[in-house]
Amino acid sequence: MERPDRIIQGMAVDGHFRVIAAQTTTAVETAREILDLAPVAADALGRAMTGALLLARLLDKDVRNQFVSLRFEGNGPLGTVIGDGSVAGNVRGYVANPVPTDPMLDVESAIGNGSLTVVRGTPPAGKPYTSQILIAGTGIATDLTRYLMRSEQIASAVLLGVYNRRDGVAAAGGMIIQAFPHAPEEAIRTIETRVKNAPSFSTLLATMPIEEAVSTVLEGTEYKQIDAGQEQPVAYACTCTRERALAPLTLLSLDELHEMIAEGGTEIICQFCGRRYVFGEDDLFALTAKHEA
Ligand SMILES: [Zn+2]
């Protein structure tokens, strides 16, 4: 039975810890189908997409349209990996090289060493907030823990996972456990021990609802789900528009535009969702007019 993707929230150890968890199985499987991802690419992108969704919710200050974009630029064979998520539960992703030649690679070496850029904002208002950390092949969950500590002064544990089967993504999801500043040392050690010894989160998600998976990881920590009626549905959704697809063409020279017109037009394919935007002679003529103005 398919269970719908969603984000849930809870508290643990007398309210000293906030827990946000997401099931993203269908969204990651959708990404795999649209972007033709090899298993290791689906694993990396699924973690990045889930991480973006969790961060958007974690850093939310009652802004319903906040988004978080995670851009991993490593020297591994996947190249750039981008996960975008919003508080509203929309998520999308992109992998530069979705089929690396070595099928046995793990996610850490598939991404490699480089940088992680985190962008968050609340369109249309305000300028997005951007920060960057170096990454050294320690895994996306560890990268996000370091980002949260360094850029947001949030102490946290992050779990992310994708469970691949031969025919696709069987389960994907993750959770962030945020320690509030007054959390006692002993409680932090209890949570750390639970997280370290818990079964893999995506394996749990493959066999039980997310509510039970989170309870299993946090067994013995008085975990309680809050706002059970307010869970946020999650879906793979792209924000591309014809206008945004046209934007890169406005940077072309007059000669390049005339060349495209001679070829009868051009098309732009969205790298996140595969949607095709066709621009004919009339559209391109309109752009040349701007050059002459
Ligand atoms: Zn798109």
Side-chain angles (χ1 to χ4, degrees), residues 238 240 270 273:
C238 192
C240 65
C270 174
C273 71

Side-chain angles (χ1 to χ4, degrees), residues 44-45 47-48 70 72 107-108 111 138-145 160:
L45 186 63
R47 290 170 199 237
L70 303 178
F72 295 86
V107 173
E108 291 75 20
I111 291 177
T138 49
I140 292 177
T142 309
D143 297 335
L144 295 186
T145 305
L160 298 169

Side-chain angles (χ1 to χ4, degrees), residues 70-76 79-81 107-118 132-147 150:
L70 303 178
R71 185 185 183 96
F72 295 86
E73 284 167 301
N75 61 0
T80 300
V81 175
V107 173
E108 291 75 20
S109 27
I111 291 177
N113 302 344
S115 65
L116 162 63
T117 306
V118 181
Q132 199 174 60
I133 61 166
L134 295 177
I135 56 171
T138 49
I140 292 177
T142 309
D143 297 335
L144 295 186
T145 305
R146 283 176 44 238
Y147 161 77
R150 292 181 48 161

